[in-house]
Amino acid sequence: MSDAYIALADGRVVEARGRVPGRTRGELVFTTAYTGYEESLTDPSYEEQVLTFSYPLIGNYGVREERLESDRVHPRAAVAREFTDDVVEWLAEEDVPAIDHIDTRDLVTSIREEGAMKCGIAVGDDVTPEDAREELAKCKGMSEHVDIGKQVSVDEPEHYTGGGVADVALVDCGAKGSIVSSLTERGADVHLLPYDTTVSEIESLDPDVLFISNGPGDPANFEQAATLVEEFVGEIPIAGICLGQQVVARALGGTTEKMAFGHRGVNQPVMDLETGQVVMTTQNHGYTVADPGDTLNVTQRNVNDDTAEGLANEDLDVITRQYHPEANPGPHDTLGFFDEVLGMVGHGGDKQRKAVADD
């Protein structure tokens, strides 16, 4: 055990127990999930953030590799009321600072009232509050991480075989592994592509679906992914999840904005505006679609704050979700989204529909 300090942007320095040593900084956010800590910690959407768990005990069912969503832990540090030794050992192997024995209720309340904030962290035998303040002074805002896509994307294309039902070009802006498996389990072949994939590279693949993944940070920093949407809308079906929804909206005339503290957890209620059905969803995002523009229609909204959770244009074969339909460990109320995406294949998009979008 060692000392630990968190320097917050509101001026406070909070003392805690250090479980894994190190110094770092990032945007302090929280998740309300009480299961799925392995999935959360390996979700690329947490890149450049410090993840606080509001549930008091993290690690009570161990750590298993098959539950991980990527090949590494993405938050810069992890904070909880109490971590089990299993999680501490895992975070130590990943060289990710960990802090517990802290009043996470107070931290979460601060984030709820003041918004997600910059923080600096220092953990170790000889650290001081000033060490944490020095880290805070070096902390960037999320929108300042202009190359964050490069940090979480594959460097080279990867191919996953599912059965040949459809070819999906999945642009990896920080994709969770379960997005790939949700598609391959339905018979689709998936081409996992770098976040900065070019128009010509998509043309050479000639996919049945262009899919923009989830990912971290400000959607305004994923300009190349937006260019792909602009180029291929009306030619091939387009889908997006989380950051992908935001990128698609921006590409088609919409706007996005940063939320105060975001949606992060497994219990966000979403209403389908056509059926009136409410489902529980898993979410992890700090930005949202403020205005979908004239091309896209809002099909689903968050029950708590009315933010856009689903967008679509049936004529152009565009469908997106702000939440994670592939949620692991759950809930799985919305897995049918992937059936809807693959159901767009064969609709016969053509250049005339692209002309409609351009108008």
Side-chain angles (χ1 to χ4, degrees):
M1 307 301 174
S2 57
D3 293 332
Y5 299 96
I6 304 179
L8 303 175
D10 64 9
R12 291 184 295 155
V13 177
V14 182
E15 186 175 1
R17 179 176 71 166
R19 301 300 303 277
V20 179
R23 301 185 187 186
T24 191
R25 64 267 183 190
E27 182 183 55
L28 183 66
V29 299
F30 70 90
T31 177
T32 59
Y34 50 89
T35 60
Y37 49 85
E38 299 146 306
E39 292 88 344
S40 292
L41 286 166
T42 54
D43 182 348
S45 295
Y46 281 115
E47 189 80 0
E48 297 293 348
Q49 294 178 318
V50 172
L51 179 57
T52 301
F53 292 92
S54 64
Y55 188 72
L57 177 61
I58 298 301
N60 57 346
Y61 53 83
V63 177
R64 295 176 62 179
E65 185 175 351
E66 59 266 31
R67 297 193 185 110
L68 308 187
E69 287 289 349
S70 68
D71 60 1
R72 67 178 175 90
V73 172
H74 285 274
R76 279 182 164 265
V79 181
R81 180 67 185 88
E82 183 175 354
F83 283 119
T84 66
D85 290 342
D86 286 340
V87 173
V88 170
E89 291 171 7
W90 175 38
L91 294 174
E93 291 172 359
E94 294 279 327
D95 198 26
V96 174
I99 292 172
D100 67 2
H101 280 203
I102 189 171
D103 187 352
T104 49
R105 294 171 299 180
D106 180 60
L107 279 183
V108 170
T109 298
S110 296
I111 297 169
R112 289 273 302 187
E113 293 177 349
E114 302 176 42
M117 66 182 76
K118 299 176 184 178
C119 74
I121 287 178
V123 185
D125 293 335
D126 301 316
V127 299
T128 66
E130 186 56 34
D131 294 326
R133 292 192 185 97
E134 289 178 0
E135 291 294 332
L136 172 61
K138 295 182 286 186
C139 188
K140 295 181 179 180
M142 289 305 294
S143 293
E144 297 177 79
H145 291 287
V146 295
D147 294 323
I148 198 168
K150 186 176 182 178
Q151 297 173 214
V152 295
S153 180
V154 292
D155 294 324
E156 299 292 336
E158 298 177 2
H159 183 247
Y160 298 85
T161 302
V165 169
D167 274 329
V168 177
L170 177 58
V171 180
D172 180 14
C173 300
K176 293 169 61 180
S178 53
I179 293 179
V180 175
S181 61
S182 293
L183 290 165
T184 57
E185 287 168 1
R186 287 164 173 77
D189 294 340
V190 177
H191 302 271
L192 188 64
L193 306 173
Y195 78 106
D196 57 354
T197 294
T198 64
V199 169
S200 61
E201 287 168 329
I202 297 294
E203 288 175 337
S204 67
L205 283 174
D206 190 26
D208 298 305
V209 177
L210 174 64
F211 203 129
I212 312 298
S213 82
N214 66 293
D218 190 338
N221 290 327
F222 290 81
E223 295 180 356
Q224 182 57 32
T227 296
L228 298 179
V229 175
E230 293 171 359
E231 179 65 27
F232 293 105
V233 64
E235 288 192 46
I236 57 177
I238 294 176
I241 286 177
C242 200
L243 176 89
Q245 167 164 294
Q246 300 157 20
V247 169
V248 170
R250 291 179 62 88
L252 300 183
T255 60
T256 55
E257 63 184 3
K258 196 174 192 306
M259 306 173 76
F261 50 84
H263 292 160
R264 298 176 179 91
V266 298
N267 58 350
Q268 287 285 335
V270 170
M271 175 181 286
D272 186 280
L273 300 183
E274 181 179 356
T275 66
Q277 180 184 13
V278 174
V279 293
M280 302 307 292
T281 67
T282 289
Q283 303 198 16
N284 175 16
H285 61 102
Y287 292 77
T288 189
V289 174
D291 180 354
D294 297 329
T295 302
L296 298 171
N297 300 311
V298 177
T299 59
Q300 298 183 341
R301 287 197 178 275
N302 190 289
V303 174
N304 290 333
D305 60 14
D306 207 39
T307 50
E309 297 283 2
L311 302 174
N313 184 313
E314 292 186 8
D315 294 332
L316 296 173
D317 281 341
V318 178
I319 183 172
T320 67
R321 295 290 184 266
Q322 183 58 68
Y323 52 86
H324 284 274
E326 80 292 348
N328 282 310
H332 294 157
D333 300 17
T334 57
L335 277 170
F337 170 74
F338 295 97
D339 298 310
E340 293 183 59
V341 170
L342 297 179
M344 294 190 296
V345 175
H347 282 192
D350 54 41
K351 295 289 185 179
Q352 291 180 348
R353 291 193 294 170
K354 188 175 190 302
V356 171
D358 291 339
D359 289 341

